[in-house]
Amino acid sequence: MSSNLTDHRLIQGSHVFERLNQARAVLHNSVSLGEQLGFARWSNQNDRTSYHRPEHHTLSVYLSGGYQTKRLIGSDLVSGGAPGKLCLMPAGHESRWQVDGDLAFVHLYFSDKDLSQSIEQIWDKSSTGFDVQDLTFADDLAVSSLIQQWLLKLNWQDDADRLALDQLSQLLLGHISKHYLTKQLTEPTLSGGLAPFQLTRCQEFIEAHLADKLSLNQLAQLVDLSDYHFARMFKQSSGLSPHQYLSQRRIERAKSLLLTGELSLAEVAYQTGFSSQAHFSARFKQLTGNSPASFRNKS
């Protein structure tokens, strides 16, 4: 089995991850965002696997194939897999799966602690008594869109995208908390954004750390807010999500460095928080329409 796993922390304590790693599934990408919080992208073909009471929860979103994937529930084989379908496997569950044909999917692994923090941060409620539903082949356009249009376009191994990965994991946990718990939670109402001095503090911090690995939690702590509320309030005040704002400022800094002509493209990438020249060039062209080299030559 081939794999380009770069963050081995994700393996530790992740039962579903370990079971797939021992089966025929092929790991294409993974990233750890916390003790038991992380994403993994897999493909599988003509396999049989089972999960026995994992200690963590797993959200599975099908990317392609899956038409011939079935779950054995009792003596019944339940079908319905297809691109965009969602499976939610709570901690402590048991399931057996039959994969015939091709299947590609993304997993989000998260713990009770991750879910509890999400509930407490968003709704200011104790997480006691909230259990995750067990779902098989459900439809959820919001989750599928977040995965396809955002997660898969990020570079999971580049520090420049860490903020976006943090924010996406929080959005998914918030969505699960709202829609897929055994007790219903109503959407909290947020009024107002950050105070001007709070926004300025965050912007100045970002400007001073454009070359560094920045997390959503770092920025939220600057103004004593939860990650979830900070992301919402920052966007309301600035018009951009924290990740969009950070990307914009990095590109503006890169433009200034390119115009001096004193640094190589690799050095510009490093000083603006990108782990590779290739990722920097791709993001620069995505946001400006020009490659860094073309921008420098035109100027």
Side-chain angles (χ1 to χ4, degrees):
M1 181 182 68
S2 63
S3 164
N4 67 344
L5 177 65
T6 60
D7 195 334
H8 296 280
R9 290 178 301 166
L10 191 56
I11 296 178
Q12 299 173 1
S14 180
H15 171 87
V16 173
F17 187 101
E18 291 173 345
R19 293 291 295 176
L20 285 171
N21 228 16
Q22 295 163 5
R24 294 181 179 178
V26 177
L27 176 65
H28 297 280
N29 205 355
S30 69
V31 60
S32 177
L33 302 173
E35 187 175 343
Q36 284 188 302
L37 179 66
F39 291 105
R41 181 175 179 176
W42 301 89
S43 63
N44 205 353
Q45 183 179 25
N46 301 323
D47 198 8
R48 305 290 184 271
T49 189
S50 59
Y51 308 128
H52 303 287
R53 305 184 66 81
E55 294 182 359
H56 61 88
H57 310 286
T58 304
L59 170 68
S60 178
V61 181
Y62 286 15
L63 304 176
S64 64
Y67 299 103
Q68 300 177 65
T69 297
K70 302 176 179 66
R71 179 179 179 180
L72 183 62
I73 301 179
S75 59
D76 298 324
L77 274 175
V78 177
S79 58
K85 292 292 185 178
L86 173 156
C87 298
L88 189 57
M89 298 172 281
H93 91 289
E94 295 190 9
S95 61
R96 288 180 286 172
W97 300 84
Q98 178 175 312
V99 180
D100 296 317
D102 297 325
L103 170 65
F105 56 99
V106 162
H107 276 174
L108 168 67
Y109 307 111
F110 59 101
S111 65
D112 274 338
K113 180 180 178 181
D114 298 315
L115 191 63
S116 295
Q117 289 176 340
S118 177
I119 294 172
E120 291 166 3
Q121 288 179 358
I122 299 172
W123 285 274
D124 194 26
K125 292 179 179 291
S126 168
S127 60
T128 304
F130 292 95
D131 295 318
V132 176
Q133 296 180 25
D134 190 329
L135 301 174
T136 306
F137 306 137
D139 290 303
D140 192 318
L141 182 59
V143 171
S144 180
S145 296
L146 282 174
I147 299 298
Q148 292 278 7
Q149 298 175 23
W150 191 356
L151 179 66
L152 297 185
K153 294 180 180 180
L154 298 173
N155 186 321
W156 296 9
Q157 269 66 60
D158 199 308
D159 290 346
D161 280 348
R162 173 58 189 254
L163 191 65
L165 289 165
D166 283 339
Q167 190 173 346
L168 181 55
S169 70
Q170 294 306 312
L171 284 172
L172 288 170
L173 287 174
H175 188 85
I176 291 168
S177 299
K178 181 181 178 183
H179 296 281
Y180 299 125
L181 298 182
T182 53
K183 289 185 179 181
Q184 187 70 31
L185 288 168
T186 56
E187 181 70 17
T189 56
L190 295 177
S191 59
L194 298 174
F197 81 90
Q198 292 177 316
L199 181 61
T200 298
R201 179 183 298 171
C202 293
Q203 290 172 330
E204 289 177 346
F205 184 86
I206 289 172
E207 206 68 26
H209 296 84
L210 289 178
D212 300 333
K213 178 180 178 179
L214 292 178
S215 70
L216 191 63
N217 185 253
Q218 275 181 288
L219 297 176
Q221 287 184 348
L222 290 174
V223 290
D224 197 26
L225 289 170
S226 70
D227 296 2
Y228 178 88
H229 287 302
F230 169 76
R232 290 287 187 94
M233 295 170 74
F234 184 93
K235 185 172 184 179
Q236 188 165 342
S237 295
S238 69
L240 298 170
S241 70
H243 170 65
Q244 290 172 327
Y245 181 84
L246 176 61
S247 294
Q248 184 184 84
R249 295 308 308 151
R250 280 175 165 156
I251 295 304
E252 290 303 314
R253 172 71 62 83
K255 287 180 179 179
S256 298
L257 295 174
L258 289 169
L259 289 176
T260 67
E262 297 174 358
L263 302 177
S264 68
L265 295 184
E267 289 171 322
V268 173
Y270 176 76
Q271 291 199 21
T272 51
F274 294 91
S275 61
S276 71
Q277 181 181 329
H279 187 213
F280 162 63
S281 296
R283 184 59 55 84
F284 190 94
K285 187 171 184 178
Q286 178 187 21
L287 294 181
T288 68
N290 294 294
S291 69
S294 175
F295 175 84
R296 172 177 275 172
N297 292 334
K298 286 181 180 180
S299 305

